[in-house]
Amino acid sequence: MAFRQRLAKPLLYTTGAAALGGGVLYYTYRPRNIPGQDPAVVGPPGYGAEGSFRPPRFPKVRSRDDQIGDLKRSGGSKGAATGLFKSSEEAAPQNDADVYDLLVIGAGATGAGIALDAVTRGLRVAIVERDDFASGTSSKSTKLVHGGVRYLEKAVWELDYNQYALVKEALRERKYFLDTAPHLSSWLPIMLPLDKWWKAPYYWAGTKAYDFLAGSEGIESSYFLTRSKALDAFPMLKRDNLVGALVYYDGAHNDSRMNVSLAMTAALYGATVVNHIEVTGLEKGSNGQLCGARVKDLVQEKNGKKADEFVIRAKGIINATGPFTDSIRKMDDQNVKEIVAPSSGVHVVLPGYYSPQKMGLIDPKTSDGRVIFFLPWQGNTIAGTTDAPTKISYNPVAGEEEIDWILSEISHYLSPDINVRRGDVLAAWSGIRPLVKDPNAKNTESLVRNHLINVSPSGLLTCAGGKWTTYRQMAEEAVDEAVKTFSLSTKPVLNAPDVSGTEMVDDGARLDGSCQTHQVKLVGAHGFSKTLFINLIQHFGVETDVAKHLTESYGDRAWTVAALSVPTEKRFPVRGEKISALYPFIDGEVRYAVRHEYAQTAVDVLARRTRLAFLNAQAALEALPKVIDIMAGELKWDSKRKEVEWRDTVAFLESMGLPKSKLSATRKQVESGTLSFRDSIEYKMYSRHDQPNDELESDSRLGKGNPGLKAGAAAEK
């Protein structure tokens, strides 16, 4: 008996330990459905019984002119105005049905998200934007969809429940990102290098807590890498003091294309969506409550005509203008106290060889205590960001001091064999983050942690602050408040469009009048799969890198983009003329942007529909003539408008890091290849002037250990 008891205890402990260990192993390595990895809801187009190809039939958004016509009808029987109507009859809408439930000002991530949320609740919605979708902060993010590891660290050390709640909310929203737009977002492993052994358990615990907090919304589990494995995964790392690394997972996305897709999805569901419409004033009724806005069409001015001005009527107005929030608030009340504390975030883009294609890196403790990310993006490498108070401007330019700081920081953790050069910076931009102060708080100078929703006495609902990851939650809360404040009635969406292009999916079935944006798939999502690019290659004969780019930027709409591309008359590729030899952007994207995404300017295409301006400012300049010519054919531009586009786009490219010496470039110089760059850093970076030889002349004149060009060398002349 005693022997059995002595045997039972060790056996019990062993069984318990084995069960616990097995449970941990199963939880870590269990099969799971990764958000965004589901098969396509709708399969690729096939062939009929007779062998004929059946292309997808996608619904189209209404034309910009039709959308503007709807805006005008809401404002009065004659639609046009100079600010005041001659009579109350002229100012009256044709009928009550023409008046919008909501007018959203600003079509960045927040505004477009609000429009989609409201229209899928059965509300009549209009959204206007002075520039273009994502023309401000929403196109200048770090391209991450993340909960924020550093916020979780703060929550633990400061015992701050609010920080914890923010991380939990963001992780949930990250899952919705990957589910509703799998073509535009993806998971990304991010490495955390370790230079001390004691940091391994600390950061391991942190990343595991991040995994645990994500729960069912998690992507993949974090893991530890030995020194050799870390160098194998990220060969560019500095070897000195490297003891290993931790890798955790977060989401990444194409921010401006996500923004455009939100706006286009809202338009398909019936929202009136118009860009390049400026709000010049707000309209109030006799009771002092807001009832509309005065606007003008800026495209007419670009065409050399007088801007068309008119009034839009709506029961409620939402201000979602990001950094420009206070300018709209002052249209409502000149004496209102400003709530935006603008902060500048600078990013630089480097060649793709600076990082692995599928692995990012985070430095949690830079020289001044900030966090810096180093991420692969669109074939290049993005590094940033800074965080400093700034003044609000339309197209801020990244300062040399900020660029130098970023380059200095990344050089600290890259191998000394890699010479981090200023001339390697292909693009650099500054985004203005609209941090906000709560006007109703006791301390009105303190910044809110997340976002702010505020309603003025006259009924202007302002939604500001927040971040890209939580745009959907912000939109939901803003529409909830609007429904309550403006006494609106939501209803099921009947006759919803077949966004998928087929009748296989009823996108309106779940739209019962409540918020369903966590389930509303965006344009292009239904037919997307990881292998869709193969179908595209096999049917259209496009290059592999082009096919991957198209499917990851347009989803199932890549079929339309490829069909809009010109035949090359070559053996291969069969279709698609690149607008830049360095990147996979093709001519069909320009046509698609004009016909299906309301692109009105060359900047709209180069910066927000394709991302060429963000990836390489000089390549964007070189592609500009071709883009202008294609758009001119689509939009019937005359020579004067083409000149306007050239000047405006070159000026914009300064904010993307185009060297000052290129700002005076003419179209003739670019097209003929005679644009001089002798005064640029790049001119002296490569051995571009020597003839082939076993040892280049400029190299043979260098002193030992000098990696640069010697003064007076042939390459400098």
Side-chain angles (χ1 to χ4, degrees):
M1 187 71 176
F3 174 74
R4 288 181 183 175
Q5 288 178 343
R6 286 197 303 270
L7 188 64
K9 272 190 176 181
L11 188 62
L12 184 64
Y13 293 150
T14 303
T15 304
L20 179 62
V24 171
L25 284 172
Y26 174 78
Y27 180 81
T28 304
Y29 298 107
R30 71 194 186 282
R32 65 178 83 179
N33 293 321
I34 303 299
Q37 298 290 307
D38 295 330
V41 178
V42 177
Y47 291 84
E50 299 176 357
S52 58
F53 181 71
R54 295 177 298 186
R57 306 292 183 187
F58 297 120
K60 297 180 180 180
V61 294
R62 300 175 66 215
S63 71
R64 186 173 186 273
D65 288 342
D66 288 343
Q67 299 276 42
I68 291 177
D70 284 350
L71 294 179
K72 290 180 176 180
R73 274 190 292 277
S74 77
S77 57
K78 295 188 178 180
T82 57
L84 295 172
F85 291 102
K86 294 179 181 178
S87 65
S88 58
E89 289 78 14
E90 187 177 324
Q94 292 178 342
N95 57 67
D96 291 341
D98 290 330
V99 178
Y100 290 100
D101 291 318
L102 290 175
L103 169 62
V104 184
I105 304 173
T110 305
I114 290 171
L116 179 59
D117 188 303
V119 75
T120 52
R121 296 199 206 188
L123 298 176
R124 180 168 161 76
V125 186
I127 178 170
V128 295
E129 164 62 46
R130 175 180 57 193
D131 196 334
D132 184 31
F133 316 115
S135 58
T137 308
S138 297
S139 62
K140 299 175 180 177
S141 71
T142 310
K143 322 304 178 194
L144 284 177
V145 185
H146 63 128
V149 174
R150 66 186 186 277
Y151 299 131
L152 180 59
E153 183 182 24
K154 286 183 180 179
V156 172
W157 285 110
E158 298 174 10
L159 298 178
D160 189 334
Y161 178 79
N162 289 326
Q163 290 276 12
Y164 164 84
L166 290 179
V167 176
K168 184 70 176 173
E169 175 188 272
L171 288 172
R172 183 185 68 246
E173 293 300 318
R174 182 183 69 176
K175 177 181 183 295
Y176 296 151
F177 246 96
L178 295 165
D179 284 339
T180 59
H183 56 304
L184 295 171
S185 51
S186 61
W187 53 265
L188 177 70
I190 300 177
M191 181 181 287
L192 186 64
L194 303 173
D195 59 355
K196 298 284 191 301
W197 274 113
W198 66 263
K199 291 183 178 181
Y202 176 78
Y203 285 120
W204 181 88
T207 55
K208 286 301 176 185
Y210 195 60
D211 294 343
F212 179 77
L213 196 59
S216 61
E217 284 96 27
I219 302 175
E220 288 281 7
S221 297
S222 57
Y223 56 90
F224 176 78
L225 288 176
T226 62
R227 181 177 186 272
S228 60
K229 291 289 186 182
L231 290 170
D232 185 53
F234 208 118
M236 305 82 179
L237 275 180
K238 182 167 63 176
R239 294 169 178 266
D240 296 350
N241 300 322
L242 182 69
V243 298
L246 279 158
V247 177
Y248 72 96
Y249 287 81
D250 248 327
H253 75 136
N254 188 335
D255 51 9
S256 73
R257 285 224 51 84
M258 181 78 180
N259 200 152
V260 171
S261 295
L262 284 168
M264 294 308 102
T265 307
L268 284 177
Y269 277 102
T272 303
V273 179
V274 189
N275 55 352
H276 298 286
I277 290 275
E278 181 179 13
V279 173
T280 58
L282 300 178
E283 294 277 299
K284 294 182 180 179
S286 56
N287 60 357
Q289 295 296 297
L290 292 173
C291 61
R294 297 187 300 278
V295 301
K296 66 177 180 178
D297 183 2
L298 299 181
V299 171
Q300 298 294 339
E301 289 185 342
K302 286 182 176 291
N303 288 330
K305 302 175 182 177
K306 186 178 184 299
D308 195 7
E309 298 186 48
F310 53 93
V311 168
I312 305 170
R313 297 291 184 193
K315 298 173 186 175
I317 298 178
I318 297 181
N319 173 17
T321 52
F324 304 98
T325 291
D326 286 324
S327 63
I328 299 297
R329 293 176 73 239
K330 288 185 177 181
M331 289 182 186
D332 175 41
D333 179 1
Q334 280 286 345
N335 300 317
V336 73
K337 188 173 181 180
E338 294 185 355
I339 62 171
V340 174
S343 175
S344 169
V346 171
H347 294 82
V348 301
V349 171
L350 297 163
Y353 56 71
Y354 270 87
S355 69
Q357 288 188 344
K358 297 292 183 180
M359 177 77 76
L361 186 143
I362 180 175
D363 181 359
K365 301 290 182 183
T366 58
S367 59
D368 61 359
R370 288 182 284 187
V371 173
I372 194 168
F373 287 97
F374 195 61
L375 311 168
W377 183 65
Q378 301 280 308
N380 284 353
T381 301
I382 183 173
T385 177
T386 60
D387 184 9
T390 188
K391 292 182 179 179
I392 296 174
S393 58
Y394 290 143
N395 290 310
V397 177
E400 283 299 321
E401 185 177 340
E402 289 91 344
I403 294 172
D404 289 342
W405 180 82
I406 293 173
L407 296 179
S408 173
E409 290 299 322
I410 64 177
S411 67
H412 293 161
Y413 50 78
L414 292 182
S415 168
D417 297 340
I418 300 174
N419 185 15
V420 181
R421 307 179 296 185
R422 175 62 178 86
D424 283 335
V425 176
L426 303 175
W429 69 84
S430 172
I432 300 177
R433 185 183 178 197
L435 305 175
V436 291
K437 297 170 282 190
D438 187 349
N440 298 322
K442 289 183 179 179
N443 180 7
T444 58
E445 294 304 314
S446 62
L447 299 175
V448 299
R449 295 180 182 273
N450 193 3
H451 60 271
L452 169 75
I453 295 175
N454 173 262
V455 182
S456 74
S458 59
L460 178 65
L461 192 157
T462 294
C463 182
K467 59 181 181 178
W468 238 119
T469 307
T470 57
Y471 85 90
R472 195 209 64 82
Q473 181 66 31
M474 293 170 62
E476 180 180 348
E477 293 178 18
V479 176
D480 286 345
E481 183 63 34
V483 168
K484 181 177 69 174
T485 301
F486 306 126
S487 304
L488 304 176
S489 299
T490 62
K491 57 183 180 292
V493 175
L494 305 176
N495 302 317
D498 294 324
V499 181
S500 67
T502 73
E503 296 180 355
M504 296 170 58
V505 180
D506 183 2
D507 288 299
R510 59 173 63 96
L511 303 180
D512 58 2
S514 62
C515 177
Q516 295 294 325
T517 46
H518 61 291
Q519 301 184 82
V520 175
K521 288 190 177 295
L522 302 188
V523 168
H526 294 79
F528 172 76
S529 71
K530 295 292 185 182
T531 57
L532 180 62
F533 77 95
I534 299 174
N535 304 112
L536 215 64
I537 295 170
Q538 291 178 336
H539 183 70
F540 291 105
V542 294
E543 294 177 83
T544 301
D545 63 333
V546 171
K548 286 184 175 181
H549 155 67
L550 293 182
T551 55
E552 291 169 3
S553 297
Y554 301 90
D556 56 27
R557 266 46 175 191
W559 291 99
T560 305
V561 178
L564 286 169
S565 304
V566 297
T568 62
E569 307 301 336
K570 298 177 182 177
R571 184 186 66 79
F572 198 86
V574 178
R575 300 187 79 92
E577 182 181 324
K578 289 186 176 181
I579 62 174
S580 169
L582 302 174
Y583 296 92
F585 306 117
I586 58 173
D587 61 303
E589 295 181 72
V590 184
R591 296 185 185 90
Y592 183 85
V594 173
R595 298 185 189 185
H596 302 281
E597 293 180 339
Y598 298 139
Q600 297 295 309
T601 70
V603 173
D604 293 351
V605 170
L606 287 170
R608 270 91 60 175
R609 305 309 185 282
T610 70
R611 306 312 307 273
L612 186 55
F614 281 83
L615 291 167
N616 192 319
Q618 296 199 58
L621 177 66
E622 292 160 2
L624 183 54
K626 188 174 294 184
V627 170
I628 288 177
D629 286 346
I630 296 173
M631 294 188 75
E634 292 288 322
L635 295 169
K636 312 303 180 198
W637 288 345
D638 58 20
S639 58
K640 289 184 178 179
R641 175 63 193 273
K642 290 167 76 171
E643 290 174 6
V644 168
E645 286 302 312
W646 181 268
R647 290 196 304 271
D648 290 352
T649 307
V650 173
F652 168 81
L653 289 176
E654 181 182 12
S655 68
M656 291 290 106
L658 187 69
K660 292 187 181 299
S661 60
K662 306 293 189 301
L663 297 179
S664 59
T666 65
R667 175 169 178 157
K668 185 177 180 181
Q669 287 176 315
V670 171
E671 288 184 309
S672 63
T674 58
L675 182 63
S676 174
F677 63 105
R678 286 175 177 269
D679 56 347
S680 69
I681 302 174
E682 190 180 23
Y683 184 78
K684 301 177 182 180
M685 283 172 52
Y686 308 101
S687 55
R688 65 176 76 243
H689 306 283
D690 295 327
Q691 296 302 312
N693 204 343
D694 288 347
E695 183 178 16
L696 298 183
E697 180 186 356
S698 55
D699 293 338
S700 64
R701 295 180 183 179
L702 294 176
K704 291 184 178 180
N706 184 357
L709 288 172
K710 189 176 181 180
E716 282 200 329
K717 293 180 181 177

